[in-house]
PDB file of all heavy atoms in Angstrom:
ATOM      1  N   ALA A 829      -3.669   4.174   1.483  1.00 97.00           N
ATOM      2  CA  ALA A 829      -5.063   4.624   1.574  1.00 97.00           C
ATOM      3  C   ALA A 829      -5.614   4.930   0.189  1.00 97.00           C
ATOM      4  O   ALA A 829      -6.757   4.571  -0.125  1.00 97.00           O
ATOM      5  CB  ALA A 829      -5.164   5.851   2.470  1.00 97.00           C
ATOM      6  N   GLY A 830      -4.807   5.572  -0.636  1.00 96.00           N
ATOM      7  CA  GLY A 830      -5.243   5.864  -1.996  1.00 96.00           C
ATOM      8  C   GLY A 830      -5.503   4.601  -2.796  1.00 96.00           C
ATOM      9  O   GLY A 830      -6.501   4.508  -3.517  1.00 96.00           O
ATOM     10  N   CYS A 831      -4.641   3.634  -2.658  1.00 94.00           N
ATOM     11  CA  CYS A 831      -4.814   2.364  -3.375  1.00 94.00           C
ATOM     12  C   CYS A 831      -6.041   1.600  -2.875  1.00 94.00           C
ATOM     13  O   CYS A 831      -6.739   0.958  -3.654  1.00 94.00           O
ATOM     14  CB  CYS A 831      -3.570   1.500  -3.231  1.00 94.00           C
ATOM     15  SG  CYS A 831      -2.143   2.128  -4.136  1.00 94.00           S
ATOM     16  N   ALA A 832      -6.279   1.673  -1.567  1.00 95.00           N
ATOM     17  CA  ALA A 832      -7.404   0.944  -0.970  1.00 95.00           C
ATOM     18  C   ALA A 832      -8.693   1.760  -0.987  1.00 95.00           C
ATOM     19  O   ALA A 832      -9.752   1.237  -0.640  1.00 95.00           O
ATOM     20  CB  ALA A 832      -7.063   0.563   0.467  1.00 95.00           C
ATOM     21  N   GLN A 833      -8.585   3.022  -1.367  1.00 96.00           N
ATOM     22  CA  GLN A 833      -9.723   3.938  -1.400  1.00 96.00           C
ATOM     23  C   GLN A 833     -10.409   4.049  -0.044  1.00 96.00           C
ATOM     24  O   GLN A 833     -11.626   3.917   0.080  1.00 96.00           O
ATOM     25  CB  GLN A 833     -10.708   3.535  -2.497  1.00 96.00           C
ATOM     26  CG  GLN A 833     -10.059   3.581  -3.872  1.00 96.00           C
ATOM     27  CD  GLN A 833     -11.001   3.203  -4.988  1.00 96.00           C
ATOM     28  OE1 GLN A 833     -11.998   2.525  -4.793  1.00 96.00           O
ATOM     29  NE2 GLN A 833     -10.683   3.648  -6.185  1.00 96.00           N
ATOM     30  N   VAL A 834      -9.578   4.270   0.980  1.00 96.00           N
ATOM     31  CA  VAL A 834     -10.068   4.520   2.334  1.00 96.00           C
ATOM     32  C   VAL A 834      -9.338   5.744   2.880  1.00 96.00           C
ATOM     33  O   VAL A 834      -8.252   6.084   2.399  1.00 96.00           O
ATOM     34  CB  VAL A 834      -9.840   3.312   3.281  1.00 96.00           C
ATOM     35  CG1 VAL A 834     -10.551   2.075   2.774  1.00 96.00           C
ATOM     36  CG2 VAL A 834      -8.364   3.028   3.469  1.00 96.00           C
ATOM     37  N   PRO A 835      -9.896   6.410   3.881  1.00 97.00           N
ATOM     38  CA  PRO A 835      -9.198   7.548   4.480  1.00 97.00           C
ATOM     39  C   PRO A 835      -7.920   7.087   5.178  1.00 97.00           C
ATOM     40  O   PRO A 835      -7.913   6.029   5.823  1.00 97.00           O
ATOM     41  CB  PRO A 835     -10.193   8.104   5.500  1.00 97.00           C
ATOM     42  CG  PRO A 835     -11.527   7.555   5.105  1.00 97.00           C
ATOM     43  CD  PRO A 835     -11.243   6.238   4.435  1.00 97.00           C
ATOM     44  N   PRO A 836      -6.839   7.863   5.068  1.00 95.00           N
ATOM     45  CA  PRO A 836      -5.576   7.478   5.724  1.00 95.00           C
ATOM     46  C   PRO A 836      -5.722   7.258   7.228  1.00 95.00           C
ATOM     47  O   PRO A 836      -5.018   6.438   7.805  1.00 95.00           O
ATOM     48  CB  PRO A 836      -4.639   8.658   5.437  1.00 95.00           C
ATOM     49  CG  PRO A 836      -5.215   9.332   4.246  1.00 95.00           C
ATOM     50  CD  PRO A 836      -6.693   9.092   4.304  1.00 95.00           C
ATOM     51  N   GLU A 837      -6.663   7.965   7.853  1.00 95.00           N
ATOM     52  CA  GLU A 837      -6.864   7.830   9.296  1.00 95.00           C
ATOM     53  C   GLU A 837      -7.333   6.434   9.694  1.00 95.00           C
ATOM     54  O   GLU A 837      -7.224   6.045  10.853  1.00 95.00           O
ATOM     55  CB  GLU A 837      -7.897   8.859   9.792  1.00 95.00           C
ATOM     56  CG  GLU A 837      -7.561  10.297   9.494  1.00 95.00           C
ATOM     57  CD  GLU A 837      -7.877  10.713   8.055  1.00 95.00           C
ATOM     58  OE1 GLU A 837      -8.895  10.280   7.487  1.00 95.00           O
ATOM     59  OE2 GLU A 837      -7.069  11.476   7.495  1.00 95.00           O
ATOM     60  N   GLU A 838      -7.870   5.693   8.749  1.00 95.00           N
ATOM     61  CA  GLU A 838      -8.362   4.334   9.028  1.00 95.00           C
ATOM     62  C   GLU A 838      -7.250   3.292   8.967  1.00 95.00           C
ATOM     63  O   GLU A 838      -7.493   2.116   9.212  1.00 95.00           O
ATOM     64  CB  GLU A 838      -9.476   3.963   8.055  1.00 95.00           C
ATOM     65  CG  GLU A 838     -10.745   4.751   8.265  1.00 95.00           C
ATOM     66  CD  GLU A 838     -11.872   4.296   7.356  1.00 95.00           C
ATOM     67  OE1 GLU A 838     -11.773   3.209   6.745  1.00 95.00           O
ATOM     68  OE2 GLU A 838     -12.855   5.047   7.256  1.00 95.00           O
ATOM     69  N   ILE A 839      -6.054   3.725   8.620  1.00 96.00           N
ATOM     70  CA  ILE A 839      -4.945   2.786   8.455  1.00 96.00           C
ATOM     71  C   ILE A 839      -3.934   2.989   9.571  1.00 96.00           C
ATOM     72  O   ILE A 839      -3.439   4.088   9.785  1.00 96.00           O
ATOM     73  CB  ILE A 839      -4.261   2.980   7.089  1.00 96.00           C
ATOM     74  CG1 ILE A 839      -5.271   2.683   5.972  1.00 96.00           C
ATOM     75  CG2 ILE A 839      -3.027   2.097   6.970  1.00 96.00           C
ATOM     76  CD1 ILE A 839      -4.744   2.926   4.592  1.00 96.00           C
ATOM     77  N   GLY A 840      -3.645   1.906  10.279  1.00 95.00           N
ATOM     78  CA  GLY A 840      -2.637   1.924  11.335  1.00 95.00           C
ATOM     79  C   GLY A 840      -1.539   0.940  11.013  1.00 95.00           C
ATOM     80  O   GLY A 840      -1.615   0.197  10.021  1.00 95.00           O
ATOM     81  N   PRO A 841      -0.517   0.879  11.846  1.00 95.00           N
ATOM     82  CA  PRO A 841       0.598  -0.028  11.570  1.00 95.00           C
ATOM     83  C   PRO A 841       0.209  -1.503  11.568  1.00 95.00           C
ATOM     84  O   PRO A 841       0.830  -2.305  10.876  1.00 95.00           O
ATOM     85  CB  PRO A 841       1.606   0.272  12.676  1.00 95.00           C
ATOM     86  CG  PRO A 841       0.898   1.104  13.676  1.00 95.00           C
ATOM     87  CD  PRO A 841      -0.310   1.683  13.029  1.00 95.00           C
ATOM     88  N   ASP A 842      -0.839  -1.862  12.308  1.00 97.00           N
ATOM     89  CA  ASP A 842      -1.258  -3.261  12.363  1.00 97.00           C
ATOM     90  C   ASP A 842      -2.311  -3.613  11.319  1.00 97.00           C
ATOM     91  O   ASP A 842      -2.771  -4.755  11.267  1.00 97.00           O
ATOM     92  CB  ASP A 842      -1.786  -3.595  13.757  1.00 97.00           C
ATOM     93  CG  ASP A 842      -0.700  -3.492  14.817  1.00 97.00           C
ATOM     94  OD1 ASP A 842       0.476  -3.769  14.498  1.00 97.00           O
ATOM     95  OD2 ASP A 842      -1.019  -3.132  15.965  1.00 97.00           O
ATOM     96  N   THR A 843      -2.690  -2.654  10.505  1.00 97.00           N
ATOM     97  CA  THR A 843      -3.662  -2.916   9.448  1.00 97.00           C
ATOM     98  C   THR A 843      -3.026  -3.821   8.409  1.00 97.00           C
ATOM     99  O   THR A 843      -1.933  -3.542   7.907  1.00 97.00           O
ATOM    100  CB  THR A 843      -4.115  -1.596   8.778  1.00 97.00           C
ATOM    101  OG1 THR A 843      -4.627  -0.715   9.773  1.00 97.00           O
ATOM    102  CG2 THR A 843      -5.169  -1.857   7.721  1.00 97.00           C
ATOM    103  N   THR A 844      -3.706  -4.910   8.099  1.00 97.00           N
ATOM    104  CA  THR A 844      -3.163  -5.829   7.097  1.00 97.00           C
ATOM    105  C   THR A 844      -3.635  -5.422   5.704  1.00 97.00           C
ATOM    106  O   THR A 844      -4.668  -4.757   5.542  1.00 97.00           O
ATOM    107  CB  THR A 844      -3.607  -7.284   7.359  1.00 97.00           C
ATOM    108  OG1 THR A 844      -5.025  -7.386   7.157  1.00 97.00           O
ATOM    109  CG2 THR A 844      -3.234  -7.743   8.760  1.00 97.00           C
ATOM    110  N   PHE A 845      -2.861  -5.840   4.723  1.00 96.00           N
ATOM    111  CA  PHE A 845      -3.252  -5.579   3.345  1.00 96.00           C
ATOM    112  C   PHE A 845      -4.531  -6.345   3.018  1.00 96.00           C
ATOM    113  O   PHE A 845      -5.365  -5.873   2.259  1.00 96.00           O
ATOM    114  CB  PHE A 845      -2.116  -5.923   2.387  1.00 96.00           C
ATOM    115  CG  PHE A 845      -0.938  -5.006   2.555  1.00 96.00           C
ATOM    116  CD1 PHE A 845       0.197  -5.419   3.231  1.00 96.00           C
ATOM    117  CD2 PHE A 845      -0.966  -3.711   2.066  1.00 96.00           C
ATOM    118  CE1 PHE A 845       1.274  -4.574   3.417  1.00 96.00           C
ATOM    119  CE2 PHE A 845       0.101  -2.847   2.242  1.00 96.00           C
ATOM    120  CZ  PHE A 845       1.227  -3.280   2.917  1.00 96.00           C
ATOM    121  N   ALA A 846      -4.711  -7.506   3.640  1.00 96.00           N
ATOM    122  CA  ALA A 846      -5.933  -8.289   3.439  1.00 96.00           C
ATOM    123  C   ALA A 846      -7.149  -7.537   3.980  1.00 96.00           C
ATOM    124  O   ALA A 846      -8.211  -7.535   3.341  1.00 96.00           O
ATOM    125  CB  ALA A 846      -5.811  -9.649   4.108  1.00 96.00           C
ATOM    126  N   GLN A 847      -7.007  -6.886   5.135  1.00 96.00           N
ATOM    127  CA  GLN A 847      -8.120  -6.101   5.692  1.00 96.00           C
ATOM    128  C   GLN A 847      -8.519  -4.976   4.743  1.00 96.00           C
ATOM    129  O   GLN A 847      -9.677  -4.557   4.734  1.00 96.00           O
ATOM    130  CB  GLN A 847      -7.737  -5.494   7.039  1.00 96.00           C
ATOM    131  CG  GLN A 847      -7.664  -6.488   8.174  1.00 96.00           C
ATOM    132  CD  GLN A 847      -7.096  -5.868   9.436  1.00 96.00           C
ATOM    133  OE1 GLN A 847      -6.107  -5.137   9.392  1.00 96.00           O
ATOM    134  NE2 GLN A 847      -7.714  -6.176  10.556  1.00 96.00           N
ATOM    135  N   LEU A 848      -7.563  -4.475   3.990  1.00 96.00           N
ATOM    136  CA  LEU A 848      -7.824  -3.393   3.041  1.00 96.00           C
ATOM    137  C   LEU A 848      -8.241  -3.930   1.670  1.00 96.00           C
ATOM    138  O   LEU A 848      -8.432  -3.162   0.734  1.00 96.00           O
ATOM    139  CB  LEU A 848      -6.568  -2.523   2.888  1.00 96.00           C
ATOM    140  CG  LEU A 848      -6.131  -1.790   4.156  1.00 96.00           C
ATOM    141  CD1 LEU A 848      -4.758  -1.171   3.953  1.00 96.00           C
ATOM    142  CD2 LEU A 848      -7.164  -0.739   4.550  1.00 96.00           C
ATOM    143  N   SER A 849      -8.379  -5.254   1.583  1.00 95.00           N
ATOM    144  CA  SER A 849      -8.731  -5.924   0.326  1.00 95.00           C
ATOM    145  C   SER A 849      -7.724  -5.634  -0.778  1.00 95.00           C
ATOM    146  O   SER A 849      -8.082  -5.499  -1.950  1.00 95.00           O
ATOM    147  CB  SER A 849     -10.144  -5.536  -0.124  1.00 95.00           C
ATOM    148  OG  SER A 849     -11.088  -5.933   0.842  1.00 95.00           O
ATOM    149  N   LEU A 850      -6.449  -5.527  -0.393  1.00 94.00           N
ATOM    150  CA  LEU A 850      -5.389  -5.322  -1.379  1.00 94.00           C
ATOM    151  C   LEU A 850      -4.695  -6.657  -1.615  1.00 94.00           C
ATOM    152  O   LEU A 850      -4.039  -7.193  -0.722  1.00 94.00           O
ATOM    153  CB  LEU A 850      -4.378  -4.280  -0.889  1.00 94.00           C
ATOM    154  CG  LEU A 850      -4.878  -2.852  -0.766  1.00 94.00           C
ATOM    155  CD1 LEU A 850      -3.756  -1.940  -0.272  1.00 94.00           C
ATOM    156  CD2 LEU A 850      -5.419  -2.338  -2.081  1.00 94.00           C
ATOM    157  N   GLY A 851      -4.855  -7.191  -2.800  1.00 92.00           N
ATOM    158  CA  GLY A 851      -4.172  -8.418  -3.170  1.00 92.00           C
ATOM    159  C   GLY A 851      -2.715  -8.141  -3.502  1.00 92.00           C
ATOM    160  O   GLY A 851      -2.225  -7.008  -3.350  1.00 92.00           O
ATOM    161  N   ASP A 852      -2.026  -9.147  -3.974  1.00 91.00           N
ATOM    162  CA  ASP A 852      -0.598  -9.010  -4.255  1.00 91.00           C
ATOM    163  C   ASP A 852      -0.287  -7.919  -5.283  1.00 91.00           C
ATOM    164  O   ASP A 852       0.657  -7.155  -5.109  1.00 91.00           O
ATOM    165  CB  ASP A 852      -0.012 -10.346  -4.731  1.00 91.00           C
ATOM    166  CG  ASP A 852       0.070 -11.370  -3.614  1.00 91.00           C
ATOM    167  OD1 ASP A 852       0.081 -10.966  -2.428  1.00 91.00           O
ATOM    168  OD2 ASP A 852       0.125 -12.578  -3.926  1.00 91.00           O
ATOM    169  N   ARG A 853      -1.068  -7.840  -6.334  1.00 93.00           N
ATOM    170  CA  ARG A 853      -0.806  -6.822  -7.364  1.00 93.00           C
ATOM    171  C   ARG A 853      -1.030  -5.411  -6.828  1.00 93.00           C
ATOM    172  O   ARG A 853      -0.241  -4.510  -7.082  1.00 93.00           O
ATOM    173  CB  ARG A 853      -1.673  -7.051  -8.589  1.00 93.00           C
ATOM    174  CG  ARG A 853      -1.207  -8.210  -9.415  1.00 93.00           C
ATOM    175  CD  ARG A 853      -1.990  -8.297 -10.684  1.00 93.00           C
ATOM    176  NE  ARG A 853      -1.586  -9.499 -11.406  1.00 93.00           N
ATOM    177  CZ  ARG A 853      -2.033  -9.799 -12.595  1.00 93.00           C
ATOM    178  NH1 ARG A 853      -2.897  -9.006 -13.201  1.00 93.00           N
ATOM    179  NH2 ARG A 853      -1.627 -10.890 -13.195  1.00 93.00           N
ATOM    180  N   ALA A 854      -2.118  -5.229  -6.099  1.00 93.00           N
ATOM    181  CA  ALA A 854      -2.412  -3.903  -5.545  1.00 93.00           C
ATOM    182  C   ALA A 854      -1.372  -3.526  -4.492  1.00 93.00           C
ATOM    183  O   ALA A 854      -0.953  -2.365  -4.418  1.00 93.00           O
ATOM    184  CB  ALA A 854      -3.811  -3.886  -4.942  1.00 93.00           C
ATOM    185  N   LYS A 855      -0.947  -4.498  -3.711  1.00 94.00           N
ATOM    186  CA  LYS A 855       0.097  -4.238  -2.711  1.00 94.00           C
ATOM    187  C   LYS A 855       1.393  -3.830  -3.407  1.00 94.00           C
ATOM    188  O   LYS A 855       2.074  -2.897  -2.975  1.00 94.00           O
ATOM    189  CB  LYS A 855       0.310  -5.485  -1.842  1.00 94.00           C
ATOM    190  CG  LYS A 855       1.327  -5.294  -0.752  1.00 94.00           C
ATOM    191  CD  LYS A 855       1.336  -6.428   0.276  1.00 94.00           C
ATOM    192  CE  LYS A 855       1.686  -7.757  -0.274  1.00 94.00           C
ATOM    193  NZ  LYS A 855       1.946  -8.768   0.782  1.00 94.00           N
ATOM    194  N   GLN A 856       1.721  -4.480  -4.503  1.00 93.00           N
ATOM    195  CA  GLN A 856       2.933  -4.131  -5.245  1.00 93.00           C
ATOM    196  C   GLN A 856       2.808  -2.747  -5.867  1.00 93.00           C
ATOM    197  O   GLN A 856       3.764  -1.976  -5.872  1.00 93.00           O
ATOM    198  CB  GLN A 856       3.235  -5.177  -6.319  1.00 93.00           C
ATOM    199  CG  GLN A 856       4.555  -4.947  -7.019  1.00 93.00           C
ATOM    200  CD  GLN A 856       5.750  -5.019  -6.084  1.00 93.00           C
ATOM    201  OE1 GLN A 856       5.934  -5.990  -5.372  1.00 93.00           O
ATOM    202  NE2 GLN A 856       6.572  -3.977  -6.055  1.00 93.00           N
ATOM    203  N   ARG A 857       1.629  -2.406  -6.382  1.00 94.00           N
ATOM    204  CA  ARG A 857       1.422  -1.056  -6.932  1.00 94.00           C
ATOM    205  C   ARG A 857       1.609   0.002  -5.847  1.00 94.00           C
ATOM    206  O   ARG A 857       2.224   1.044  -6.085  1.00 94.00           O
ATOM    207  CB  ARG A 857       0.035  -0.934  -7.561  1.00 94.00           C
ATOM    208  CG  ARG A 857      -0.053  -1.517  -8.955  1.00 94.00           C
ATOM    209  CD  ARG A 857      -1.317  -1.089  -9.681  1.00 94.00           C
ATOM    210  NE  ARG A 857      -2.542  -1.466  -8.981  1.00 94.00           N
ATOM    211  CZ  ARG A 857      -3.145  -2.647  -9.118  1.00 94.00           C
ATOM    212  NH1 ARG A 857      -2.648  -3.562  -9.926  1.00 94.00           N
ATOM    213  NH2 ARG A 857      -4.250  -2.903  -8.463  1.00 94.00           N
ATOM    214  N   ALA A 858       1.088  -0.268  -4.650  1.00 94.00           N
ATOM    215  CA  ALA A 858       1.262   0.669  -3.540  1.00 94.00           C
ATOM    216  C   ALA A 858       2.744   0.793  -3.192  1.00 94.00           C
ATOM    217  O   ALA A 858       3.258   1.902  -2.996  1.00 94.00           O
ATOM    218  CB  ALA A 858       0.464   0.207  -2.320  1.00 94.00           C
ATOM    219  N   ALA A 859       3.439  -0.326  -3.133  1.00 94.00           N
ATOM    220  CA  ALA A 859       4.873  -0.311  -2.825  1.00 94.00           C
ATOM    221  C   ALA A 859       5.653   0.445  -3.902  1.00 94.00           C
ATOM    222  O   ALA A 859       6.579   1.199  -3.586  1.00 94.00           O
ATOM    223  CB  ALA A 859       5.404  -1.734  -2.679  1.00 94.00           C
ATOM    224  N   ASP A 860       5.273   0.267  -5.155  1.00 95.00           N
ATOM    225  CA  ASP A 860       5.936   0.988  -6.249  1.00 95.00           C
ATOM    226  C   ASP A 860       5.748   2.496  -6.100  1.00 95.00           C
ATOM    227  O   ASP A 860       6.680   3.273  -6.324  1.00 95.00           O
ATOM    228  CB  ASP A 860       5.399   0.530  -7.608  1.00 95.00           C
ATOM    229  CG  ASP A 860       5.815  -0.888  -7.972  1.00 95.00           C
ATOM    230  OD1 ASP A 860       6.733  -1.439  -7.321  1.00 95.00           O
ATOM    231  OD2 ASP A 860       5.196  -1.449  -8.899  1.00 95.00           O
ATOM    232  N   ALA A 861       4.548   2.913  -5.716  1.00 95.00           N
ATOM    233  CA  ALA A 861       4.279   4.342  -5.522  1.00 95.00           C
ATOM    234  C   ALA A 861       5.081   4.884  -4.348  1.00 95.00           C
ATOM    235  O   ALA A 861       5.643   5.983  -4.415  1.00 95.00           O
ATOM    236  CB  ALA A 861       2.783   4.570  -5.312  1.00 95.00           C
ATOM    237  N   VAL A 862       5.169   4.113  -3.270  1.00 95.00           N
ATOM    238  CA  VAL A 862       5.977   4.514  -2.113  1.00 95.00           C
ATOM    239  C   VAL A 862       7.443   4.615  -2.532  1.00 95.00           C
ATOM    240  O   VAL A 862       8.137   5.571  -2.187  1.00 95.00           O
ATOM    241  CB  VAL A 862       5.807   3.532  -0.933  1.00 95.00           C
ATOM    242  CG1 VAL A 862       6.838   3.780   0.161  1.00 95.00           C
ATOM    243  CG2 VAL A 862       4.392   3.616  -0.365  1.00 95.00           C
ATOM    244  N   GLU A 863       7.893   3.649  -3.286  1.00 94.00           N
ATOM    245  CA  GLU A 863       9.267   3.613  -3.777  1.00 94.00           C
ATOM    246  C   GLU A 863       9.598   4.901  -4.540  1.00 94.00           C
ATOM    247  O   GLU A 863      10.642   5.518  -4.309  1.00 94.00           O
ATOM    248  CB  GLU A 863       9.427   2.386  -4.673  1.00 94.00           C
ATOM    249  CG  GLU A 863      10.798   2.174  -5.245  1.00 94.00           C
ATOM    250  CD  GLU A 863      10.848   0.916  -6.096  1.00 94.00           C
ATOM    251  OE1 GLU A 863      10.217   0.897  -7.175  1.00 94.00           O
ATOM    252  OE2 GLU A 863      11.514  -0.034  -5.677  1.00 94.00           O
ATOM    253  N   ARG A 864       8.699   5.323  -5.412  1.00 94.00           N
ATOM    254  CA  ARG A 864       8.916   6.549  -6.198  1.00 94.00           C
ATOM    255  C   ARG A 864       8.947   7.786  -5.298  1.00 94.00           C
ATOM    256  O   ARG A 864       9.774   8.672  -5.488  1.00 94.00           O
ATOM    257  CB  ARG A 864       7.834   6.707  -7.262  1.00 94.00           C
ATOM    258  CG  ARG A 864       8.007   5.783  -8.446  1.00 94.00           C
ATOM    259  CD  ARG A 864       7.045   6.114  -9.572  1.00 94.00           C
ATOM    260  NE  ARG A 864       5.646   5.987  -9.199  1.00 94.00           N
ATOM    261  CZ  ARG A 864       4.961   4.854  -9.211  1.00 94.00           C
ATOM    262  NH1 ARG A 864       5.562   3.720  -9.567  1.00 94.00           N
ATOM    263  NH2 ARG A 864       3.690   4.833  -8.887  1.00 94.00           N
ATOM    264  N   GLU A 865       8.061   7.842  -4.331  1.00 93.00           N
ATOM    265  CA  GLU A 865       7.998   9.025  -3.465  1.00 93.00           C
ATOM    266  C   GLU A 865       9.174   9.129  -2.503  1.00 93.00           C
ATOM    267  O   GLU A 865       9.684  10.214  -2.254  1.00 93.00           O
ATOM    268  CB  GLU A 865       6.695   9.036  -2.663  1.00 93.00           C
ATOM    269  CG  GLU A 865       5.537   9.506  -3.487  1.00 93.00           C
ATOM    270  CD  GLU A 865       4.449  10.129  -2.651  1.00 93.00           C
ATOM    271  OE1 GLU A 865       4.750  10.883  -1.710  1.00 93.00           O
ATOM    272  OE2 GLU A 865       3.285   9.852  -2.958  1.00 93.00           O
ATOM    273  N   VAL A 866       9.590   7.992  -1.960  1.00 92.00           N
ATOM    274  CA  VAL A 866      10.650   8.005  -0.954  1.00 92.00           C
ATOM    275  C   VAL A 866      12.027   7.895  -1.599  1.00 92.00           C
ATOM    276  O   VAL A 866      13.019   8.366  -1.050  1.00 92.00           O
ATOM    277  CB  VAL A 866      10.431   6.877   0.086  1.00 92.00           C
ATOM    278  CG1 VAL A 866      11.541   6.839   1.114  1.00 92.00           C
ATOM    279  CG2 VAL A 866       9.084   7.055   0.780  1.00 92.00           C
ATOM    280  N   GLY A 867      12.080   7.275  -2.776  1.00 91.00           N
ATOM    281  CA  GLY A 867      13.352   7.158  -3.475  1.00 91.00           C
ATOM    282  C   GLY A 867      14.189   5.977  -3.042  1.00 91.00           C
ATOM    283  O   GLY A 867      15.415   6.034  -3.072  1.00 91.00           O
ATOM    284  N   VAL A 868      13.527   4.903  -2.623  1.00 92.00           N
ATOM    285  CA  VAL A 868      14.246   3.681  -2.269  1.00 92.00           C
ATOM    286  C   VAL A 868      13.741   2.541  -3.147  1.00 92.00           C
ATOM    287  O   VAL A 868      12.628   2.599  -3.657  1.00 92.00           O
ATOM    288  CB  VAL A 868      14.064   3.296  -0.779  1.00 92.00           C
ATOM    289  CG1 VAL A 868      14.636   4.352   0.132  1.00 92.00           C
ATOM    290  CG2 VAL A 868      12.623   3.017  -0.444  1.00 92.00           C
ATOM    291  N   MET A 869      14.579   1.529  -3.316  1.00 92.00           N
ATOM    292  CA  MET A 869      14.200   0.382  -4.133  1.00 92.00           C
ATOM    293  C   MET A 869      13.611  -0.710  -3.247  1.00 92.00           C
ATOM    294  O   MET A 869      14.206  -1.091  -2.238  1.00 92.00           O
ATOM    295  CB  MET A 869      15.404  -0.165  -4.884  1.00 92.00           C
ATOM    296  CG  MET A 869      15.082  -1.356  -5.743  1.00 92.00           C
ATOM    297  SD  MET A 869      16.572  -2.050  -6.496  1.00 92.00           S
ATOM    298  CE  MET A 869      16.420  -1.350  -8.108  1.00 92.00           C
ATOM    299  N   LEU A 870      12.434  -1.196  -3.633  1.00 93.00           N
ATOM    300  CA  LEU A 870      11.778  -2.289  -2.923  1.00 93.00           C
ATOM    301  C   LEU A 870      11.645  -3.467  -3.877  1.00 93.00           C
ATOM    302  O   LEU A 870      11.038  -3.330  -4.939  1.00 93.00           O
ATOM    303  CB  LEU A 870      10.395  -1.854  -2.438  1.00 93.00           C
ATOM    304  CG  LEU A 870      10.355  -0.647  -1.507  1.00 93.00           C
ATOM    305  CD1 LEU A 870       8.922  -0.218  -1.267  1.00 93.00           C
ATOM    306  CD2 LEU A 870      11.052  -0.959  -0.205  1.00 93.00           C
ATOM    307  N   LEU A 871      12.205  -4.585  -3.507  1.00 92.00           N
ATOM    308  CA  LEU A 871      12.137  -5.775  -4.351  1.00 92.00           C
ATOM    309  C   LEU A 871      10.786  -6.463  -4.191  1.00 92.00           C
ATOM    310  O   LEU A 871      10.207  -6.481  -3.097  1.00 92.00           O
ATOM    311  CB  LEU A 871      13.260  -6.735  -4.001  1.00 92.00           C
ATOM    312  CG  LEU A 871      14.678  -6.169  -4.135  1.00 92.00           C
ATOM    313  CD1 LEU A 871      15.701  -7.193  -3.668  1.00 92.00           C
ATOM    314  CD2 LEU A 871      14.956  -5.740  -5.568  1.00 92.00           C
TER     315      LEU A 871
END
């Protein structure tokens, strides 16, 4: 939600990254942030 600049309530499990206008780079940035917070490695 932070990366897409939308409220978290607007995001569900079936929400696509395309619907959020997140391209590959933005999707990777979001994954990197999740990786840091959760402490797992995402390739």
Side-chain angles (χ1 to χ4, degrees):
C831 290
Q833 299 181 338
V834 300
E837 303 79 38
E838 291 184 14
I839 298 176
D842 295 328
T843 304
T844 67
F845 293 103
Q847 287 172 316
L848 296 170
S849 299
L850 293 180
D852 289 338
R853 286 187 185 185
K855 182 168 62 169
Q856 186 62 54
R857 280 194 301 273
D860 290 346
V862 169
E863 181 179 68
R864 285 189 299 276
E865 281 207 41
V866 178
V868 297
M869 180 185 259
L870 301 172
L871 302 176

